[in-house]
Amino acid sequence: MAFSSRPIVIGNWKMNGLAASLDQVEAVRDAIAKGQAGRCETGLCLPATLIAAAAARVEGSRLMIGGQDCHVASHGAHTGDIAAAMLKDAGATLVIVGHSERRADHGETDMLVNQKAQAAALAGLTPVICVGETRAERDAGETLRVIGRQIDESVPRSTDPKTTIVAYEPVWAIGTGLTPTAADVAEVHAFIHRRLDSLLPSGGTTIRILYGGSVKASNAAELLAIDHVDGALVGGASLKAADLLGITSVYR
Ligand code: PEP
């Protein structure tokens, strides 16, 4: 298995979870403390309502807490939005930007995602910048062109490779139980690393690239062993600690 030296598995709870669900955060925290979670970094990107409470519960733990979106501005008249500095203040260290559900539901463009990634970095958060093709784009043979454009336009030139993460999430694989072939994942991840390397003044080969889209315990070993796959972004299978730990524990 060709695992990255600094793999990371990040859960994305999306719009799921009430205070009662914090027991799942505690279960992941406790598994990490007991050395039962695998040799990877682990993060949970929670609904904004749970971040402060979760951060308090993981204090002193290596489990990271994150948000799922942030505004480009540091504060101001943006009703319902949340600033990166607010996430940081609540105890987050990560934030997802440009998830395909936000691109689709809220019309987020590559340029906006780029600005959000900059705002996150400025606030001291690690942005997890998402890219991915639709089914129609893959069927039309457009995958690398689309991913190349998303990388060029969504990833700020000022990106620090050590504190930025990119997630490749084919839109058609999210929540569907479908996954690309290992060869397709390998091709896209290698392409993203090359593209980042030519794009960023500080180089891009060390940026961690996560695979996301229907990762679960039963397919994690195969997906996480693919070259240039430095971890996973996990939706549905991150809601229950046992399911997430089934993925992190691939990193033995
Ligand atoms: C996601 O939404 O980031 C995701 C990968 O979802 P799922 O694992 O449920 O496909």
Side-chain angles (χ1 to χ4, degrees), residues 12 14 96 99 101 169 173-177 212-215 233-237:
N12 170 17
K14 311 192 189 199
I96 298 170
H99 191 283
E101 287 155 11
E169 299 206 306
I174 293 178
T176 59
S214 296
V215 179
L233 183 56
V234 183

Side-chain angles (χ1 to χ4, degrees), residues 14-251:
K14 311 192 189 199
M15 199 172 72
N16 296 294
L18 301 174
S21 321
L22 290 169
D23 62 350
Q24 299 305 306
V25 176
E26 292 177 344
V28 176
R29 174 200 66 192
D30 293 347
I32 291 172
K34 290 181 195 147
Q36 295 167 346
R39 294 174 191 274
C40 61
E41 294 178 20
T42 308
L44 284 172
C45 291
L46 303 176
T49 48
L50 295 181
I51 290 174
R57 292 182 196 208
V58 304
E59 219 177 306
S61 158
R62 287 185 291 110
L63 176 58
M64 291 175 271
I65 299 298
Q68 300 172 8
D69 177 52
C70 65
H71 197 275
V72 299
S74 62
H75 64 279
H78 304 288
T79 302
D81 280 313
I82 189 155
M86 293 169 172
L87 295 173
K88 173 91 174 164
D89 187 50
T93 56
L94 307 164
V95 63
I96 298 170
V97 292
H99 191 283
S100 60
E101 287 155 11
R102 291 208 59 90
R103 289 177 185 260
D105 296 354
H106 300 272
E108 294 196 359
T109 61
D110 291 322
M111 187 54 66
L112 185 72
V113 174
N114 185 312
Q115 291 170 345
K116 289 184 175 203
Q118 291 185 57
L122 198 65
L125 298 175
T126 291
V128 181
I129 305 170
C130 298
V131 297
E133 82 285 1
T134 63
R135 180 81 247 177
E137 288 162 344
R138 175 158 285 276
D139 290 345
E142 293 286 299
T143 298
L144 296 187
R145 191 189 61 74
V146 169
I147 301 295
R149 189 208 72 225
Q150 291 176 336
I151 292 291
D152 290 353
E153 296 179 11
S154 306
V155 179
R157 299 298 179 273
S158 56
T159 286
D160 176 354
K162 289 191 293 299
T163 52
T164 301
I165 293 171
V166 169
Y168 168 54
E169 299 206 306
V171 178
W172 53 272
I174 293 178
T176 59
L178 303 172
T179 52
T181 64
D184 287 342
V185 173
E187 179 187 39
V188 176
H189 279 239
F191 172 80
I192 293 174
H193 260 149
R194 283 197 305 276
R195 194 81 169 206
L196 289 169
D197 203 38
S198 59
L199 189 72
L200 300 176
S202 47
T205 52
T206 57
I207 290 193
R208 289 179 289 182
I209 306 175
L210 312 186
Y211 169 75
S214 296
V215 179
K216 44 188 189 257
S218 59
N219 61 18
E222 187 192 359
L223 289 163
L224 297 177
I226 297 169
D227 264 1
H228 296 274
V229 173
D230 303 306
L233 183 56
V234 183
S238 71
L239 293 171
K240 293 267 169 279
D243 294 341
L244 186 68
L245 293 168
I247 296 168
T248 60
S249 57
V250 161
Y251 290 109

